[in-house]
């Protein structure tokens, strides 16, 4: 219990966004699209609660009484009602769902052009990041999971990496995701990002991080023996810190 409390305090102090023990809800959103996804989830759950409660009440009512009204088991009007009402409910759910699907696929005109700046490549079993539009020499590095034996106090097992992906906040970021060997998937729940990494075919995705923090994700496509050892860590910082990080990285 003490370890869980300490981890919870660390998460809230430093703004870490990652799965928590016994978590039932979605992770806190740091991207406007993720906020819309959470809102849509809550809306659908509210509708489902009403439907389940109503149907359960009708079942209990039908089973508890010896007599029942004949129009409850046979009636044209009743059949019209229970056909039209679910259709309307499905339409009300479908429109915001389709809207979200298109929003997730849309990549805004980015302030940070990731098509030239950064390519995320999935390997067996690690990620490679590349920044190539700032200077003549490309800034690139590999990101490996930190072994359990090398973790420091407060680090998260199977989630920490030796080199984090650093991006600026309040900036439209576009990313190209591809694979070097087999299928992988770049997924960060708090940013509503989940893009398959297909070998030889870079696919664009993007995000707009609204607040500083450290966001954890993992490869979500079964890619081999070490599939569960490909964590993703995105560190969102202010623009000034981001520029300093790029300059320090390019000078090494």
């Amino acid at each position: 219990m003490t370890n869980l409390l300490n981890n919870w305090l660390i998460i809230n102090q430093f703004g870490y966004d990652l799965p928590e023990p016994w978590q039932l809800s979605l992770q806190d959103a740091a991207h406007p699209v993720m906020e819309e996804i959470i809102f849509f989830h809550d809306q659908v759950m509210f509708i489902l609660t009403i439907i389940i409660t109503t149907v359960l009440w009708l079942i209990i009512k039908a089973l508890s009484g010896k007599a029942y009204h004949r129009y409850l088991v046979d009636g044209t009007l009743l059949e019209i009602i229970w056909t039209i009402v679910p259709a309307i409910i499905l339409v009300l759910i479908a429109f915001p769902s389709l809207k979200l699907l298109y929003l997730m696929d849309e990549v805004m005109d980015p302030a940070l052009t990731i098509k030239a700046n950064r390519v995320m490549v999935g390997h067996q079993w690690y990620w490679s990041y590349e920044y190539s539009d700032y200077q003549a020499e490309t800034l690139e590095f590999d990101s490996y999971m930190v072994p359990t034996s090398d973790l420091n106090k407060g680090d998260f097992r199977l989630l920490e990496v030796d080199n984090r992906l650093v991006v600026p906040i309040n900036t439209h970021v576009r990313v190209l995701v591809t694979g070097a060997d087999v299928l992988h998937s770049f997924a960060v729940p708090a940013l509503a990002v989940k893009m398959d990494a297909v070998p030889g075919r870079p696919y664009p995705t993007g995000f707009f991080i609204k607040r500083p923090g450290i966001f954890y994700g993992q490869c979500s496509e079964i890619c081999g023996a070490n599939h569960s050892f490909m964590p993703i860590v995105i560190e969102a910082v202010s623009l000034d810190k981001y520029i300093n990080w790029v300059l320090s990285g390019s000078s090494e």
Side-chain angles (χ1 to χ4, degrees):
M1 181 62 71
T2 303
N3 291 334
L4 291 177
L5 180 59
N6 290 336
N7 286 339
W8 182 85
L9 292 174
I10 292 172
I11 291 170
N12 285 271
Q13 179 180 359
F14 295 100
Y16 292 165
D17 286 80
L18 72 164
E20 300 178 32
W22 303 99
Q23 180 176 350
L24 297 178
S25 60
L26 300 174
Q27 294 185 24
D28 292 338
H31 179 33
V33 174
M34 188 60 192
E35 293 177 352
E36 292 293 328
I37 292 174
I38 294 176
F39 177 77
F40 176 67
H41 169 269
D42 295 341
Q43 182 183 19
V44 172
M45 289 300 295
F46 176 75
I47 295 174
L48 287 178
T49 302
I50 296 176
I51 293 174
I52 292 173
T53 303
T54 303
V55 172
L56 184 62
W57 179 82
L58 290 173
I59 292 174
I60 294 175
K61 195 71 174 177
L63 295 176
S64 61
K66 295 182 179 179
Y68 53 82
H69 199 283
R70 65 186 182 90
Y71 288 115
L72 287 178
V73 294
D74 185 17
T76 303
L77 179 61
L78 183 62
E79 292 182 4
I80 293 175
I81 292 174
W82 69 36
T83 301
I84 293 179
V85 172
I88 294 175
I89 295 174
L90 289 175
V91 169
L92 293 177
I93 294 176
F95 278 112
S97 177
L98 292 173
K99 173 188 172 184
L100 275 176
L101 286 175
Y102 281 103
L103 283 177
M104 293 176 67
D105 288 337
E106 183 181 10
V107 179
M108 302 293 293
D109 186 18
L112 180 61
T113 307
I114 302 307
K115 182 177 180 181
N117 292 350
R118 184 175 309 128
V119 179
M120 297 182 178
V121 182
H123 298 270
Q124 291 178 313
W125 286 272
Y126 62 96
W127 294 95
S128 293
Y129 304 123
E130 179 182 326
Y131 301 71
S132 59
D133 207 28
Y134 294 121
Q135 64 282 322
E137 184 178 353
T138 300
L139 173 61
E140 56 183 333
F141 54 88
D142 297 330
S143 181
Y144 290 89
M145 186 192 75
V146 177
T148 304
S149 58
D150 296 337
L151 291 175
N152 298 318
K153 185 177 181 179
D155 288 345
F156 301 101
R157 178 176 172 271
L158 302 182
L159 289 176
E160 298 291 345
V161 296
D162 54 357
N163 293 307
R164 294 171 175 172
L165 178 64
V166 180
V167 297
I169 62 172
N170 296 323
T171 303
H172 287 288
V173 178
R174 182 171 54 183
V175 177
L176 289 178
V177 181
T178 187
D181 34 51
V182 298
L183 286 175
H184 301 281
S185 185
F186 187 85
V188 185
L191 304 181
V193 171
K194 187 179 184 297
M195 178 59 67
D196 287 344
V198 181
R201 300 188 66 179
Y203 286 100
T205 185
F207 46 80
F208 180 91
I209 302 179
K210 300 174 62 176
R211 55 183 171 84
I214 301 174
F215 308 96
Y216 291 83
Q218 290 177 303
C219 175
S220 59
E221 182 76 39
I222 297 178
C223 57
N226 292 335
H227 156 69
S228 58
F229 303 109
M230 288 182 63
I232 301 160
V233 183
I234 296 179
E235 183 174 355
V237 298
S238 64
L239 185 59
D240 292 337
K241 291 183 178 179
Y242 173 74
I243 293 174
N244 292 332
W245 179 83
V246 172
L247 293 176
S248 63
S250 61
S251 61
E252 293 178 356

